[in-house]
């Protein structure tokens, strides 16, 4: 959009990727991928999680509950009750969008990136919500406020002494929307440049990166390509300013 000295540009992109395993080696139909909570199975997508389904906490005694393979409640954690979760760590949807507003020499630019329907195991919670198993590590404040303590408590964290499991309780939606870059700049008037007889342009700018992130993920940073989040150093928030000079 151009109106006299004002210009407004908008850009956007989106990608969709759907995959399905059609064949595995040596004629097998499925293969459990180590201890990473994944399973390769013909007819399912790559990266789908294979886990026990966490059912919460028994309000009467604070015991952890799971669903069996057949969907019944149980207090016994069993590898035989793992099921395909229908959730993968490979995001089918991702993209970005941005806008630039310009008025005379002043310009404001913002760029966003987003990922939809990507899931990740938050391994940090396995240690920080350990129920006594890893008390040598710093524990989440949820262990003070949300852990089951008395009969009748309704929570998702079992009583102290119940060891955590690599189950669906720590499987989290890692979708996010992030403001990746914002830049405010000003280009000095061209008539000023002409008077110098040697400068063709001068621009000053102030820039910020990774300023805002909107996500349901409880870890430090949802932007990852892994299926397992473990003490990952988050994207840093950065600020910079500068002057661009052309001769």
């Amino acid at each position: 959009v151009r109106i006299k000295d004002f210009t407004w540009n908008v850009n956007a992109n989106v990608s969709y990727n759907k995959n399905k395993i059609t064949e595995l080696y040596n004629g097998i139909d499925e293969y459990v991928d180590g201890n990473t909570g994944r399973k390769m199975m013909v007819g399912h997508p790559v990266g789908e999680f294979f886990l026990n389904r966490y059912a919460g906490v028994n309000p009467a005694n604070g015991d952890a509950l799971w669903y069996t393979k057949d969907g019944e409640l149980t207090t016994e954690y069993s590898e035989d009750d793992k099921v395909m979760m229908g959730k993968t760590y490979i995001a089918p949807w991702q993209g970005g969008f941005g806008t630039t507003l310009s008025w005379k020499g002043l310009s404001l630019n913002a760029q966003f990136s987003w990922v939809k329907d990507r899931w990740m195991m938050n391994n940090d919670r396995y240690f920080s919500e350990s129920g006594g198993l890893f008390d040598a590590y710093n524990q989440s404040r949820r262990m003070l406020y949300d852990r089951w303590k008395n009969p009748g408590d309704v929570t998702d964290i079992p009583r102290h002494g119940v060891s955590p499991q690599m189950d669906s309780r720590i499987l989290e939606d890692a979708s996010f929307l992030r403001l990746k870059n914002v830049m405010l700049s000003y280009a000095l008037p061209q008539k000023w440049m002409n008077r110098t007889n040697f400068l063709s342009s001068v621009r000053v700018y102030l820039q910020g990166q990774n300023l805002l992130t909107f996500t349901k993920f409880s870890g430090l940073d949802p932007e990852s390509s892994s299926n397992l989040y473990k003490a990952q150093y988050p994207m840093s928030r950065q600020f910079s300013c500068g002057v661009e000079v052309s001769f």
Side-chain angles (χ1 to χ4, degrees), residues 28-40:
I28 65 174
D29 293 328
E30 57 185 50
Y31 173 77
V32 177
D33 191 1
N35 295 320
T36 60
R38 297 178 299 172
K39 184 177 184 179
M40 298 182 185

Side-chain angles (χ1 to χ4, degrees), residues 105-108 183-189 192-193 201-207 240-246:
L106 191 64
S107 180
L108 176 63
M183 178 184 288
L184 179 64
S185 63
Y186 179 69
L188 273 61
W192 294 5
M193 302 299 102
S201 67
V202 175
R203 186 175 72 105
V204 295
Y205 67 87
L206 176 63
Q207 180 176 241
S240 59
C241 61
V243 179
E244 292 183 352
V245 179
S246 298

Side-chain angles (χ1 to χ4, degrees), residues 46-197:
V46 174
E48 184 170 349
F49 288 97
F50 180 62
L51 300 167
N52 291 79
R53 293 172 293 171
Y54 188 70
V57 175
N58 187 335
N61 56 22
D63 286 344
L65 299 172
W66 293 272
Y67 291 108
T68 66
K69 185 180 295 186
D70 299 324
E72 298 179 354
L73 285 176
T74 179
T75 57
E76 297 296 326
Y77 179 89
S78 172
E79 297 286 326
D80 294 333
D81 288 326
K82 288 186 175 182
V83 298
M84 299 297 280
M85 299 297 296
K87 300 171 181 177
T88 80
Y89 76 96
I90 302 174
W93 293 97
Q94 54 187 315
F97 59 90
T99 184
T100 301
L101 300 170
S102 300
W103 179 71
K104 294 186 177 180
L106 191 64
S107 180
L108 176 63
N109 176 274
Q111 293 292 328
F112 293 81
S113 65
W114 58 271
V115 168
K116 177 62 176 174
D117 204 21
R118 198 182 94 78
W119 296 80
M120 188 160 50
M121 299 284 287
N122 189 347
N123 193 66
D124 289 357
R125 289 180 56 199
Y126 180 80
F127 291 93
S128 65
E129 300 175 9
S130 67
L133 183 61
F134 299 106
D135 280 354
Y137 294 86
N138 286 333
Q139 294 295 289
S140 168
R141 64 180 179 180
R142 294 195 67 205
M143 302 305 292
L144 286 177
Y145 302 114
D146 299 334
R147 174 174 52 86
W148 186 95
K149 303 180 185 68
N150 302 298
D153 287 349
V154 178
T155 179
D156 65 327
I157 300 182
R159 58 180 169 80
H160 187 77
V162 176
S163 297
Q165 302 291 342
M166 295 293 287
D167 54 30
S168 66
R169 182 166 76 94
I170 60 174
L171 180 63
E172 298 186 21
D173 185 353
S175 304
F176 68 87
L177 169 64
R178 170 165 282 171
L179 178 56
K180 292 292 292 184
N181 185 279
V182 174
M183 178 184 288
L184 179 64
S185 63
Y186 179 69
L188 273 61
Q190 192 61 44
K191 62 181 181 180
W192 294 5
M193 302 299 102
N194 296 336
R195 292 173 183 173
T196 66
N197 294 323

